[in-house]
Amino acid sequence: DIVMTQSPDSLAVSLGERATINCKSSQSILYSSNNKNYLAWYQQKSGQPPKLLIFWASTREPGVPDRFSGSGSGTDFTLTISSLQAEDVAVYYCQQYYNDPRTFGQGTKLEIK
Amino acid sequence: QVQLQQWGAGLLKPSETLSLTCAVYGGSFTGYYWNYIRQPPGKGLEWIGEIDHSGSTNYNPSLKSRVTISLDTSKNWFSLKLTSVTATDTAVYYCVRGRKSSGRPDAFDIWGRGTMVTISS
């Protein structure tokens, strides 16, 4: 199985500041035939199901605010929130869909400082 | 807009069979994978398995011996059965639509609200 490891486990950021969450896969999830990274980011607010934010490592899902961005390739990826808003308090998960079983990171809890 | 509505028993005893069903409203089964994902209380997400419109299934090896996902296209729903449950199967179970790209799985884009299933004697 591909192990997804996120850092940090929790993060407190001031409103309006940048938040950065990292995700590392135990093997490359870059598919050479199409040069795409098979990685998604999800946001889960308390008591709700996860919501897809980013796919192909850097493509924003329609309707997701542009303060959310994804970057990285191969085994190292980053989710950045450029200017933290109160409604961004949540747990964030990365997930690989390169091969089965599909696996998630352990989650990063984002709070307001 | 596609919506997933799920239901099933919320309290089971050890060794019983967990059964959940998820109805798909506003969309077709074709062109997507239909998944179940679970989340133990306070913990992370675990992919259980998927089915496509043809009925082809794919399961997480860690659960494969106990899992069956089936499809009823006439009713537009898909179902999960997990046999011989134990306390470690206590979790919120989500039904989830997975996109398909060039025949390969893609991200999970639409999630049901989740069903809390508790295993307790």
Side-chain angles (χ1 to χ4, degrees):
Chain A
D1 298 6
I2 297 177
V3 178
M4 307 298 290
T5 304
Q6 293 180 226
S7 62
D9 289 333
S10 63
L11 180 63
V13 174
S14 300
L15 289 172
E17 296 299 305
R18 178 185 300 261
T20 301
I21 298 170
N22 300 301
C23 175
K24 188 175 184 68
S25 57
S26 60
Q27 67 183 72
S28 176
I29 54 176
L30 172 63
Y31 194 42
S32 57
S33 67
N34 59 12
N35 203 37
K36 287 185 174 181
N37 289 282
Y38 279 57
L39 183 104
W41 288 97
Y42 301 86
Q43 174 193 64
Q44 186 176 31
K45 297 182 178 180
S46 180
Q48 297 183 19
K51 172 188 173 184
L52 176 63
L53 296 177
I54 302 280
F55 58 99
W56 302 128
S58 60
T59 303
R60 253 189 319 274
E61 182 73 351
V64 173
D66 61 6
R67 64 180 181 274
F68 291 91
S69 63
S71 62
S73 184
T75 61
D76 293 280
F77 302 90
T78 300
L79 174 69
T80 301
I81 307 172
S82 60
S83 176
L84 189 71
Q85 305 299 303
E87 61 264 33
D88 300 335
V89 168
V91 179
Y92 292 83
Y93 294 94
C94 61
Q95 178 241 331
Q96 64 83 18
Y97 46 98
Y98 182 84
N99 68 11
D100 288 329
R102 270 148 274 172
T103 49
F104 293 83
Q106 79 277 17
T108 295
K109 186 175 184 179
L110 177 59
E111 299 174 312
I112 305 295
K113 185 186 291 184
Chain B
Q1 182 177 346
V2 175
Q3 293 187 345
L4 305 180
Q5 183 173 336
Q6 56 184 110
W7 66 90
L11 180 62
L12 296 172
K13 291 181 168 51
S15 81
E16 292 185 334
T17 295
L18 180 158
S19 292
L20 298 174
T21 299
C22 182
V24 180
Y25 294 103
S28 166
F29 279 117
T30 304
Y32 297 95
Y33 294 106
W34 301 92
N35 299 262
Y36 280 95
I37 293 170
R38 69 180 183 179
Q39 185 172 35
K43 297 189 177 180
L45 299 156
E46 181 180 32
W47 176 72
I48 298 171
E50 68 187 358
I51 191 166
D52 72 9
H53 72 281
S54 70
S56 177
T57 55
N58 185 22
Y59 301 131
N60 190 322
S62 68
L63 297 167
K64 187 173 184 176
S65 64
R66 299 192 292 131
V67 172
T68 302
I69 298 176
S70 59
L71 186 67
D72 187 332
T73 54
S74 66
K75 294 180 179 176
N76 237 35
W77 70 37
F78 62 109
S79 299
L80 168 71
K81 289 192 187 301
L82 181 66
T83 62
S84 305
V85 297
T86 69
T88 58
D89 294 312
T90 294
V92 176
Y93 286 75
Y94 295 102
C95 59
V96 186
R97 189 179 81 170
R99 294 196 293 232
K100 188 188 293 189
S101 176
S102 301
R104 288 173 62 100
D106 197 322
F108 301 121
D109 65 344
I110 298 176
W111 296 62
R113 296 171 68 95
T115 299
M116 179 68 210
V117 178
T118 302
I119 313 300
S120 175
S121 55

